[in-house]
């Protein structure tokens, strides 16, 4: 039987494979990018333990070797590296191809602000400010007694990461001030983009869409 186009790509989102929204901003970023190009894919569960780099999302790409009539599966991790690899394989268009060097630098700066700064504000909001709601959501399939233990381990890991990155050391009011500064800047960029009516999305749009 001839495989369908969706059989060539499986996206592992770290949760049961359904069409429900996943809270990971990097999952949303990848799925948005695939949908921009109308790329069919299947959903997989996966987990950080099975991920190539210990990160969600990751993908399995089915590669057919016509010369030897063989099929192999390559696993790719990190949303940015996944998108880059799929562009190189011709599975996605390079939405930044028409940008000038200065525009590419601007694009990279916006993505870095969202993914390397705002992401941690969101992690703090979910795991510190709304811990019980977060635990109940991400561990919904886990029996209650284990939710307490696994949730505590997850919380401890997130808090350790936030402390090392710096966001965990800030006061609540300081984080709120920094978040407001970022979102006011993003709003200004969106207003300007609407005025200029560009030709289409670039990688900033997939980075900005999922951040909480």
């Amino acid at each position: 039987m001839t495989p369908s186009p969706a059989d060539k790509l499986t996206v592992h989102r770290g949760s049961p494979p359904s069409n429900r929204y996943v809270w990971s901003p990097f999952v949303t970023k990848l799925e948005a990018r695939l949908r921009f190009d109308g790329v069919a894919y299947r959903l997989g569960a996966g987990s950080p333990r099975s991920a190539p780099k210990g990160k969600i999302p990751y993908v399995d790409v089915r590669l057919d070797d016509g010369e030897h009539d063989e099929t192999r599966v390559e696993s790719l991790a990190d949303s940015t590296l996944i998108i880059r690899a799929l562009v190189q394989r011709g599975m996605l268009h390079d939405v930044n191809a028409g940008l000038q060097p200065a525009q590419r630098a601007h694009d990279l700066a916006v993505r870095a602000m969202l993914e390397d700064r705002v992401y941690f504000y969101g992690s703090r909001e979910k795991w510190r400010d709304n811990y019980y709601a977060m635990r109940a959501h991400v561990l919904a399939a886990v029996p209650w007694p284990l939710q307490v233990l696994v949730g505590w381990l997850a919380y401890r890991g997130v808090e350790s990461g936030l402390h090392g990155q710096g966001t965990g050391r800030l006061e609540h009011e300081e984080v709120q001030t920094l978040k407001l500064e970022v979102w006011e800047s993003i709003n200004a960029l969106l207003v300007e983009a609407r005025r200029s009516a560009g030709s289409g999305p670039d990688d900033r749009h997939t980075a900005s869409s999922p951040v909480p």
Side-chain angles (χ1 to χ4, degrees):
M1 184 175 67
T2 303
S4 69
D7 290 331
K8 294 184 178 181
L9 183 66
T10 301
V11 177
H12 297 278
R13 310 191 304 168
S15 63
S18 70
N19 288 326
R20 296 181 60 183
Y21 174 73
V22 175
W23 284 6
S24 166
F26 298 107
V27 169
T28 308
K29 166 190 170 183
L30 176 59
E31 289 196 276
R33 189 65 179 79
L34 293 171
R35 294 179 185 187
F36 282 171
D37 270 3
V39 175
Y41 59 94
R42 294 193 181 280
L43 295 178
S47 70
R49 288 188 175 184
S50 60
K53 298 182 184 298
K55 300 172 66 175
I56 295 294
Y58 67 97
V59 302
D60 291 332
V61 184
R62 175 176 172 170
L63 303 173
D64 295 321
D65 187 344
E67 182 178 350
H68 299 92
D69 195 25
E70 296 179 350
T71 299
R72 63 185 180 89
V73 176
E74 181 179 5
S75 295
L76 305 171
D78 186 280
S79 58
T80 297
L81 297 179
I82 291 170
I83 292 171
R84 182 176 299 174
L86 295 181
V87 168
Q88 292 173 346
R89 287 168 170 76
M91 298 175 68
L92 289 176
H93 291 95
D94 184 358
V95 294
N96 287 354
L99 299 183
Q100 298 298 317
Q103 293 174 314
R104 287 179 177 270
H106 183 267
D107 172 269
L108 182 61
V110 172
R111 283 189 284 139
M113 177 174 64
L114 292 167
E115 297 180 3
D116 300 331
R117 183 174 176 182
V118 178
Y119 168 75
F120 292 99
Y121 300 158
S123 294
R124 173 177 168 141
E125 180 178 338
K126 288 183 285 190
W127 283 101
R128 181 183 291 186
D129 301 341
N130 299 280
Y131 168 71
Y132 292 105
M134 185 65 179
R135 184 184 70 183
H137 176 78
V138 299
L139 300 177
V142 178
W144 164 248
L146 286 178
Q147 280 193 23
V148 177
L149 174 61
V150 176
W152 178 77
L153 292 173
Y155 170 82
R156 188 175 67 172
V158 171
E159 280 291 320
S160 176
L162 290 174
H163 187 80
Q165 184 268 342
T167 298
R169 306 169 191 247
L170 303 176
E171 298 295 332
H172 177 76
E173 293 75 13
E174 294 171 330
V175 174
Q176 294 301 106
T177 298
L178 294 174
K179 286 170 66 175
L180 178 61
E181 179 183 55
V182 169
W183 289 120
E184 286 180 340
S185 299
I186 293 297
N187 183 67
L189 290 173
L190 293 174
V191 170
E192 179 60 29
R194 188 171 184 178
R195 288 175 181 168
S196 60
S199 58
D202 53 45
D203 280 338
R204 292 170 298 174
H205 297 86
T206 55
S208 61
S209 59
V211 179

